[in-house]
Amino acid sequence: MNTDTAQRLARRHADLLVRRGMAITPNGVECIDIACRSGMIVALGDLERIWSAETVLNASGLHILPGVIDSQVHFREPGLTHKEDLEAGTRGAVLGGVTAVFEMPNTQPLTLSALDLKAKLEAAQGRAWCDHAFYIGGSAVNAEMLGELELLPGCAGVKVFMGSSFGDLLADDEEVLRNILRHGRRRLAVHAEDEARLRERKPLVEESGDVVQHPVWRDELSALLATQRIVRLAAETGRRLHVLHVSTADEMAFLAGHKQRVTVEVTPHHLTLQAPECYERLGSLAQMNPPVRDRHHQDGLWQAIRNGIVDVIGSDHAPHTLEEKTRSYPQSPSGMTGVQTLLPVMLDHVRAGRLTLQRLVDLTSAGPARIFGLESKGRIALGFDADLSLVDLEAHRVIANDWIASRSGWTPYDGLAVYGWPIHTIIRGNIVLRDEALVGTPIGQPLRFLEPPLAQPA
Ligand code: DOR
């Protein structure tokens, strides 16, 4: 064999060949083989006769999504690891078909500095099962430094809590918000509930002690006022914005007029659970900020998915222990697990005809990659990272607490039967979940982002 032939043959040897799955590519749904080498997708098509591989994974009967990216999780490390930690949180991600996560800054200590970020990145090394990035919290104390902090490797950007939720991170003062918005260029992620209105209305629930009142306390106007305010300030300061977990039809109607600057997240729980039934059935396990609301608002969220206002689905995985959750309301903390159930719950919605599989991929892979400028992620295409979530759309399973990897060990969907289940998860060409079982060791790496564009004032 001459050197030329040897080289040509060598080029056609892959580390992993995923055979005959129905892949969701930018072209649509295609039955193809996917060759992965050195962590990347190196060939697509009918590859059997041209490519050999160390490992061959038969994907016939399965659908292959670009790796699911969950751009909102709370993994509680450091400081609150009795609720969750980076190992268990990312293990749940991989079991649920999620290949990358952005983690939130309301840990203890809060993630406010380069040192806090470094500590999280170090804690994740060798313990995270999936790729990851960490948000820096935006507050009065670090506002002036955010422009530099947001560009540190492994940083997902800046997150601001406009209304108190869980933890001490809060920025509700107009000047502080302006200062945060002026420092930095990346898309700013925001939890939009109006703090003044929340404080004013809290006595409503302190008297009743009834969790059914949660969406009455933190009502639709609390959400709308904060969203309108931050969108106005973002326009004034020329900053791009990402409004997390939008929960009302009213906000969607408003946000439709601001898509040039503002991107939108919805969560599976706002799309799936419904007030008042969920509170009657689950009590404070259904308690979340912003709250799960009634049918009218849920219909508004689905409508916003159909008409393109929504850019991403994030889980807002926010675990608390069952002991903490069963404290009497409103002492019970808000939050529920979600990273592991995001994909099965959403695949069941696909089955029910509420959205297409192509649209789901747009919301859970392409969307987060596009709006946050993720390098090499979010689509099944040559040169992209070989991150793949292989699912069986026909698998009929019951979600159960004992499947949940989270340290908190529960899900609001315990007992829910769904169609659609993650079978294999592949990260940068490594099979980390095979036949629903974890394989290997945690290989998660920090995510890389593209340079943010220059801000343009309105
Ligand atoms: O209900 C919530 N809990 N919403 C949030 O945004 C924060 C979260 C938490 O960290 O527990």
Side-chain angles (χ1 to χ4, degrees):
M1 192 191 306
N2 67 30
T3 339
D4 263 11
T5 317
Q7 273 176 359
R8 213 171 49 245
L9 285 177
R11 275 203 297 272
R12 292 171 182 214
H13 189 74
D15 302 327
L16 172 67
L17 188 62
V18 182
R19 293 225 52 231
R20 312 315 291 160
M22 298 296 287
I24 319 301
T25 76
N27 304 312
V29 184
E30 306 179 84
C31 182
I32 50 172
D33 305 322
I34 302 175
C36 314
R37 191 168 61 202
S38 305
M40 272 168 41
I41 297 172
V42 289
L44 297 165
D46 188 2
L47 307 177
E48 193 192 4
R49 273 170 305 163
I50 352 174
W51 283 80
S52 59
E54 292 308 305
T55 308
V56 176
L57 185 67
N58 176 9
S60 65
L62 302 180
H63 281 74
I64 309 178
L65 322 186
V68 169
I69 301 161
D70 187 347
S71 47
Q72 190 185 181
V73 301
H74 301 259
F75 283 167
R76 311 295 193 206
E77 186 173 340
L80 299 159
T81 51
H82 65 287
K83 297 174 192 276
E84 189 61 293
D85 65 26
L86 288 163
E87 190 280 326
T90 54
R91 183 154 40 89
V94 162
L95 285 163
V98 171
T99 56
V101 293
F102 297 5
E103 204 269 342
M104 285 293 169
N106 57 338
T107 43
Q108 280 177 10
L110 301 171
T111 319
L112 295 176
S113 69
L115 274 183
D116 299 328
L117 176 67
K118 184 163 173 271
K120 282 195 171 180
L121 286 164
E122 282 172 5
Q125 198 56 42
R127 286 175 62 234
W129 288 86
C130 66
D131 288 352
H132 45 269
F134 298 97
Y135 284 100
I136 292 274
S139 89
V141 300
N142 68 353
E144 269 95 39
M145 288 145 66
L146 291 171
E148 286 128 64
L149 291 172
E150 69 170 9
L151 294 179
L152 292 171
C155 180
V158 175
K159 154 80 181 281
V160 165
F161 280 91
M162 292 174 75
S164 317
S165 188
F166 174 75
D168 300 326
L169 199 55
L170 179 68
D172 62 331
D173 176 83
E174 187 111 342
E175 265 323 293
V176 171
L177 286 170
R178 255 197 208 98
N179 211 16
I180 291 171
L181 286 159
R182 283 202 184 109
H183 290 89
R185 295 189 285 130
R186 289 178 71 177
R187 192 175 289 285
L188 184 93
V190 60
H191 177 128
E193 287 186 285
D194 186 76
E195 180 65 11
R197 189 169 169 89
L198 295 182
R199 282 206 193 124
E200 187 187 297
R201 293 173 67 80
K202 186 141 191 211
L204 282 177
V205 287
E206 280 167 339
E207 278 156 36
S208 82
D210 186 354
V211 69
V212 177
Q213 298 295 312
H214 195 57
V216 178
W217 165 29
R218 306 179 81 109
D219 66 347
E220 47 265 74
L221 196 55
S222 309
L224 181 65
L225 287 175
T227 293
Q228 288 176 331
R229 183 175 180 214
I230 197 72
V231 169
R232 169 174 55 79
L233 291 171
E236 196 184 302
T237 50
R239 191 74 186 262
R240 292 172 304 149
L241 210 60
H242 180 57
V243 186
L244 297 159
H245 43 46
V246 173
S247 62
T248 68
D250 315 58
E251 287 167 282
M252 290 301 185
F254 170 73
L255 289 166
H258 298 273
K259 288 301 295 171
Q260 75 281 21
R261 181 177 300 284
V262 186
T263 53
V264 172
E265 178 197 72
V266 293
T267 69
H269 50 275
H270 288 116
L271 293 168
T272 309
L273 305 176
Q274 210 175 83
E277 183 277 332
C278 68
Y279 298 106
E280 288 154 8
R281 184 166 51 88
L282 297 166
S284 53
L285 295 187
Q287 182 192 334
M288 194 77 198
N289 299 332
V292 172
R293 305 189 193 277
D294 63 15
R295 171 87 190 265
H296 163 72
H297 290 295
Q298 191 174 81
D299 287 349
L301 305 186
W302 279 111
Q303 178 70 22
I305 285 192
R306 278 188 296 273
N307 65 23
I309 296 174
V310 183
D311 297 275
V312 299
I313 289 179
S315 73
D316 195 7
H317 176 84
H320 301 283
T321 65
L322 278 175
E323 184 277 314
E324 292 163 335
K325 287 294 280 182
T326 46
R327 287 178 198 156
S328 65
Y329 179 81
Q331 278 76 46
S332 44
S334 295
M336 56 177 68
T337 61
V339 68
Q340 195 171 336
T341 46
L342 182 155
L343 191 53
V345 165
M346 290 312 301
L347 289 175
D348 195 60
H349 285 305
V350 169
R351 172 81 173 206
R354 296 189 187 98
L355 77 171
T356 64
L357 196 56
Q358 192 86 33
R359 179 67 171 125
L360 180 62
V361 164
D362 183 49
L363 292 164
T364 52
S365 305
R370 171 177 56 84
I371 71 173
F372 293 104
L374 270 173
E375 207 177 282
S376 316
K377 302 281 192 197
R379 60 200 275 165
I380 298 176
L382 291 198
F384 275 64
D385 283 0
D387 294 351
L388 305 169
S389 307
L390 284 78
V391 300
D392 182 352
L393 296 182
E394 297 304 319
H396 194 215
R397 299 292 167 79
V398 177
I399 295 175
N401 284 342
D402 65 9
W403 178 61
I404 297 296
S406 169
R407 291 192 59 106
S408 69
W410 65 277
T411 164
Y413 307 109
D414 183 49
L416 181 72
V418 292
Y419 276 100
W421 203 256
I423 306 295
H424 314 296
T425 306
I426 297 170
I427 298 180
R428 286 172 283 102
N430 302 285
I431 303 176
V432 288
L433 185 80
R434 186 166 194 160
D435 295 313
E436 300 173 54
L438 288 162
V439 284
T441 52
I443 53 138
Q445 288 296 318
L447 292 162
R448 296 178 315 274
F449 296 85
L450 306 166
E451 267 298 296
L454 282 173
Q456 289 194 338

